[in-house]
């Protein structure tokens, strides 16, 4: 890891699929291991997360090992400027989080492979792990069968309202400036929770971009689009360094004001002695 500068009160929250990596990780694993047709046949009959859990069971029963799944995850496409962007934001003093509708096993496997897992303070996502018999298990973030998240935003999937998570982050870390990066419909709800001094970075020509363009007034934050990993790096770091510069300018001005206020004023006697004597 790089050496992190002092924390700058900036939190960068990343989506994962099609933001940090360039694909949907569920679809990537299914496609690479030859289970797409079975998944598509069952999709009309089951919610996404229980179906992914079932697909992991099918893979296990057909002899696909966890090691094979991990090797597929290691090959997940990622733009070559994403890792430098993450490292630069971290080194600048940002607190980095992930808020994703993928799953923990897939995300952590990919981050571990690239040596960047420890750059992130938290990962908020669906449950994913390897059980005692060596099978990958996947469960929803919200147990929507017993306690639905109840979000009125129709774009939120039942298994995860990212807006609920974003509200908790804002409640706990509200003094920070937030920067949120995402691409999909599920990223709209957390984007609406951002405040006027925060930043929303939707990926251009992806669903979130279209939803925001259809009703931009729902987003109070500053909107800065991006297209690919290189653009993400340029836009994100421009925002981060701009915020840091403003913060340091304010500190400098505050110190100057303090010095001016703290300067002793000359007494009336000293002033009278300094006045020229009229002849």
């Amino acid at each position: 890891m790089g050496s992190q500068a002092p924390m700058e009160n900036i939190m960068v929250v990343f989506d994962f699929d099609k933001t940090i990596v360039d694909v949907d990780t569920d679809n990537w694993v299914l496609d690479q291991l030859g289970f797409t047709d079975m998944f598509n046949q069952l999709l009309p009959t089951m919610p996404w997360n229980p179906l992914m859990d079932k697909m992991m069971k099918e893979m296990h029963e057909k002899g696909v090992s966890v090691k094979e799944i991990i090797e597929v995850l290691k090959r997940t496409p990622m733009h070559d400027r994403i890792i430098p962007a993450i490292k630069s934001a971290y080194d600048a003093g940002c607190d980095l989080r992930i808020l994703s509708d993928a799953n923990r096993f897939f995300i952590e496997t990919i981050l571990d492979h690239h040596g960047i897992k420890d750059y992130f303070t938290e990962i908020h996502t669906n449950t994913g792990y390897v059980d005692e018999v060596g099978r990958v298990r996947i469960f929803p973030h919200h147990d929507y069968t017993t306690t639905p998240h109840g979000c009125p935003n129709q774009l939120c999937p039942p298994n995860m309202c990212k807006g609920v998570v974003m509200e908790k982050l804002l409640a706990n870390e509200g003094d920070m400036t937030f920067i949120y990066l995402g691409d999909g419909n599920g990223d709209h709800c957390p984007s609406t929770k951002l405040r006027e001094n925060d930043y929303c970075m939707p990926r251009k020509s992806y669903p979130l971009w279209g939803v925001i363009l259809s009703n931009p007034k729902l987003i109070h934050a500053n909107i800065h689009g991006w297209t690919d990993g290189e653009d993400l790096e340029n836009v994100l770091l421009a925002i981060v360094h701009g915020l840091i510069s403003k913060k340091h300018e304010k500190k400098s001005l505050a110190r100057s004001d303090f010095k001016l206020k703290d300067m002793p004023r000359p007494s009336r006697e000293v002033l009278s002695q300094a006045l020229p004597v009229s002849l």
Side-chain angles (χ1 to χ4, degrees):
M1 288 178 62
S3 58
Q4 189 172 30
M7 295 300 287
E8 290 288 353
N9 273 6
I10 302 170
M11 183 180 291
V12 185
V13 184
F14 293 86
D15 174 42
F16 193 77
D17 289 353
K18 299 181 181 177
T19 299
I20 288 180
V21 297
D22 255 340
V23 294
D24 179 291
T25 48
D26 287 349
N27 289 330
W28 171 256
V29 169
L30 294 169
D31 293 346
Q32 294 296 303
L33 293 170
F35 286 80
T36 303
D37 289 343
M38 183 186 298
F39 180 85
N40 289 339
Q41 289 170 10
L42 293 172
L43 184 56
T45 68
M46 295 179 68
W48 190 281
N49 297 122
L51 180 51
M52 278 302 298
D53 188 57
K54 180 177 177 60
M55 298 311 299
M56 295 300 107
K57 180 184 178 188
E58 293 288 338
M59 289 182 188
H60 181 71
E61 291 177 350
K62 287 178 169 54
V64 177
S65 67
V66 172
K67 184 178 179 181
E68 289 175 273
I69 296 172
I70 289 172
E71 289 305 312
V72 167
L73 289 168
K74 288 178 179 179
R75 301 196 303 268
T76 305
M78 179 189 294
H79 193 283
D80 60 9
R81 297 312 304 171
I82 292 293
I83 293 174
I86 289 168
K87 290 181 176 180
S88 295
Y90 176 87
D91 291 343
C94 297
D95 184 348
L96 309 183
R97 314 284 176 109
I98 289 175
L99 178 51
S100 168
D101 196 12
N103 70 77
R104 185 169 296 276
F105 178 68
F106 286 8
I107 291 172
E108 290 188 347
T109 298
I110 293 168
L111 296 181
D112 268 332
H113 172 64
H114 291 285
I116 54 174
K117 189 176 84 168
D118 290 341
Y119 285 82
F120 295 92
T121 307
E122 282 184 323
I123 299 173
H124 300 273
T125 187
N126 296 299
T127 300
Y129 63 91
V130 179
D131 69 11
E132 64 279 358
V133 299
R135 172 189 158 193
V136 177
R137 303 303 310 269
I138 297 173
F139 298 100
H141 182 269
H142 297 306
D143 183 4
Y144 53 87
T145 59
T146 56
T147 53
H149 57 67
C151 177
N153 191 321
Q154 297 300 310
L155 298 175
C156 282
N159 63 288
M160 186 177 198
C161 173
K162 292 185 178 183
V164 169
V165 179
M166 180 61 76
E167 285 178 330
K168 290 178 181 176
L169 289 174
L170 288 165
N172 293 333
E173 310 285 354
D175 59 331
M176 287 191 169
T177 299
F178 277 61
I179 304 171
Y180 184 73
L181 299 90
D183 71 282
N185 285 329
D187 297 308
H188 184 252
C189 191
S191 299
T192 64
K193 309 300 181 184
L194 299 172
R195 305 151 303 182
E196 289 183 1
N197 292 330
D198 296 325
Y199 292 81
C200 177
M201 287 182 56
R203 189 169 189 177
K204 293 180 179 179
S205 302
Y206 280 70
L208 176 60
W209 179 255
V211 175
I212 289 176
L213 288 183
S214 69
N215 195 348
K217 291 182 179 178
L218 292 177
I219 308 298
H220 305 295
N222 303 281
I223 300 170
H224 293 263
W226 57 281
T227 54
D228 59 17
E230 184 177 0
D231 202 21
L232 180 154
E233 179 183 33
N234 291 335
V235 174
L236 174 61
L237 296 184
I239 294 171
V240 167
H241 293 310
L243 288 169
I244 292 171
S245 294
K246 284 181 184 177
K247 176 184 172 183
H248 292 174
E249 276 178 25
K250 286 181 181 177
K251 280 186 176 179
S252 180
L253 287 170
R255 282 196 295 266
S256 298
D257 288 346
F258 177 78
K259 286 177 182 177
L260 287 170
K261 289 174 185 175
D262 202 42
M263 285 177 64
R265 295 186 178 183
S267 66
R268 185 176 299 182
E269 182 181 339
V270 171
L271 284 171
S272 64
Q273 290 174 0
L275 291 172
V277 179
S278 56
L279 299 173

